[in-house]
Amino acid sequence: MSERAPRRVAVTGLGAVSSLGIGAEAFTEAVREGRSGITEISSFDSTGFRHTRAGEVHDFRPQDHLERLPAEKWGRSGQFAATAARLAARDAGWADDDLSEARAGSAMGTTNGEARAFQELTEQWLDRGIDGIDGDLAARASADRIAAAVNTELGLHGEAQTFGTACSASNYAIGYGFDLIRSGAMDVMIAGGADAVNRATHAGFHRLGAIAPDLCRPFDEERAGIMTAEGGAALVLESWDDAVARGARIYAEVLGYGLTCDANHPTQPDRDGIAECIRRAHKDAGVEPDAVDYVCAHGTGTAANDSTEVAAVREVFGDRLPPISSIKSMLGHTMGAASGFGALACCAALHDGFLPPTATVRAVDPALGPDLDCVPGRARDARPRVVENHGFAFGGNNAIVMLGRAA
């Protein structure tokens, strides 16, 4: 018996809960205009920190969007994930009953899980002792509830996988969902990621000296680090043939992905590992470097990341460097949701015809080499056909997703 040919995978729905706005349309409009979501921290007491700005989601009322999930029983990251998934499902035109009956599941990425819950539990322990911990709060703390929140909200009966590969986790989740659909194991997957701003994460990056004082400025000669941020991003992935049959709008096609682990240093990115990840993604997608029209960079705005990432791209692409930009210049670093937001921006770019900007760059660092087009300021009208979405993480976990224009 001959093996069944791999199925094509379409992206039919986008959902965003971000500092730039709630919903894919609001998110995309802000990205195109190069608006900033960075404000003074209000979700925790930032006294004692030298740098006190972050990309927080303001005026978020999960009950305004959720239909099944009892928001008060779930952590903020789970609320972000469920809301982004609900928005993505609506955007894709899926009715709840149809999704519940389909072979559908979720795959979500995170760096910190429900870190806010752990922060509150720690404060309770210090203030009241171990017997004073709130049991209901402890029940909301497990990271696996991020994907479970998606299945609960949408009534999905397939698997609910949470990937903890830090800042590349959403791309891991998208790749996983892609594999399940192209192999025929599933028909629909909700994939993305979620994380919430919290004191512990901010303190960790602050102690590393990695937080910028005002804005994240990827590729700029005076870049000074990241901005911590939060949010949830979700994409509806489904069989291409099924999407066409039901008349769905197709934002993009998932062409393939690549994964590597540098296994080299806890925090320092590795050029060779990233370059190999790019090559694997190209091979899986069946594309050559010359076919790639745009790279959505990991682009954290740290000296180490930007120089290493650009060097790896040059190693693979040679003299023909495609435009490469970072939406973290607007969003900040949303941790486990970061590459999910990157994928969302890529899908919008392919569908609507533009290149997302590096909004905050003022003078490109000459040390990054010649002819580096980081799309400064605002989005640029374009018609990209193939785009590359980067996600890199501490521990050397690299994940790259390739997306193509629907055709």
Side-chain angles (χ1 to χ4, degrees):
M1 180 182 295
S2 61
E3 294 184 5
R4 185 167 64 175
R7 299 194 297 179
R8 296 174 69 186
V9 177
V11 180
T12 58
L14 304 175
V17 180
S18 78
S19 62
L20 296 178
I22 296 176
E25 185 175 346
F27 172 82
T28 301
E29 180 182 352
V31 167
R32 295 191 73 156
E33 293 179 0
R35 295 206 302 262
S36 175
I38 305 303
T39 57
E40 287 294 315
I41 291 170
S42 62
S43 61
F44 63 86
D45 183 1
S46 60
T47 302
F49 292 107
R50 291 193 310 279
H51 305 319
T52 58
R53 290 165 63 79
E56 294 179 315
V57 180
H58 298 291
D59 302 321
F60 173 59
R61 291 172 49 85
Q63 61 270 28
D64 291 346
H65 308 282
L66 300 175
E67 298 179 13
R68 292 181 174 177
L69 192 84
E72 71 280 0
K73 296 183 179 180
W74 295 76
R76 187 166 172 89
S77 297
Q79 292 173 0
F80 284 156
T83 301
R86 168 58 67 189
L87 294 171
R90 287 177 188 158
D91 188 47
W94 274 101
D96 279 3
D97 289 345
D98 293 334
L99 266 182
S100 294
E101 293 172 3
R103 294 189 304 164
S106 67
M108 302 297 289
T110 189
T111 293
N112 299 304
E114 293 293 0
R116 277 203 187 179
F118 279 106
Q119 177 180 313
E120 292 179 39
L121 289 168
T122 301
E123 291 170 353
Q124 290 177 1
W125 191 350
L126 292 173
D127 290 342
R128 313 173 196 167
I130 190 69
D131 293 332
I133 285 179
D134 181 346
D136 290 337
L137 179 60
R140 297 200 292 271
S142 177
D144 69 290
R145 285 169 61 84
I146 294 174
V150 173
N151 278 35
T152 300
E153 171 61 19
L154 299 179
L156 309 182
H157 299 294
E159 59 185 281
Q161 289 279 0
T162 301
F163 288 82
T165 44
C167 304
S168 58
S170 285
N171 267 357
Y172 273 81
I174 293 168
Y176 184 73
F178 169 67
D179 275 344
L180 289 179
I181 295 171
R182 72 169 163 179
S183 69
M186 299 290 281
D187 294 323
V188 183
M189 287 291 291
I190 313 298
D195 263 305
V197 161
N198 62 90
R199 180 193 299 274
T201 299
H202 194 81
F205 281 100
H206 200 283
R207 186 68 182 86
L208 287 170
I211 294 183
D214 54 355
L215 293 171
C216 175
R217 301 185 185 277
F219 313 119
D220 194 279
E221 62 181 346
E222 295 183 359
R223 63 193 183 277
I226 75 165
M227 306 300 295
T228 56
E230 65 181 0
L235 290 75
V236 176
L237 312 182
E238 59 182 288
S239 158
W240 181 280
D241 290 343
D242 290 349
V244 170
R246 70 181 187 87
R249 170 183 51 198
I250 298 177
Y251 284 102
E253 180 176 3
V254 185
L255 302 176
Y257 70 99
L259 306 175
T260 60
C261 181
D262 301 336
N264 183 52
H265 191 275
T267 60
Q268 177 71 35
D270 180 77
R271 183 196 65 186
D272 294 340
I274 293 172
E276 176 60 21
C277 191
I278 296 172
R279 294 188 185 100
R280 291 186 184 185
H282 289 179
K283 182 178 180 180
D284 191 53
V287 303
E288 297 294 330
D290 285 349
V292 178
D293 298 310
Y294 166 70
V295 174
C296 188
H298 188 57
T300 62
T302 65
N305 176 91
D306 293 0
S307 59
T308 305
E309 184 170 14
V310 171
V313 170
R314 289 188 183 279
E315 181 177 323
V316 176
F317 286 85
D319 294 335
R320 195 206 74 86
L321 204 65
I324 176 171
S325 70
S326 173
I327 63 171
K328 291 182 179 66
S329 60
M330 298 164 279
L331 274 176
H333 196 332
T334 54
M335 306 297 155
S339 54
F341 281 118
L344 198 155
C346 285
C347 289
L350 287 162
H351 185 265
D352 297 344
F354 69 94
L355 300 183
T358 307
T360 54
V361 69
R362 296 168 297 192
V364 177
D365 185 355
L368 297 176
D371 303 321
L372 180 63
D373 178 6
C374 56
V375 195
R378 295 169 63 95
R380 179 187 305 157
D381 289 341
R383 291 294 293 164
R385 295 159 300 172
V386 177
V387 302
E388 180 173 313
N389 182 46
H390 287 185
F392 312 134
F394 283 175
N397 288 304
N398 307 313
I400 293 173
V401 168
M402 305 298 300
L403 297 152
R405 188 194 306 167

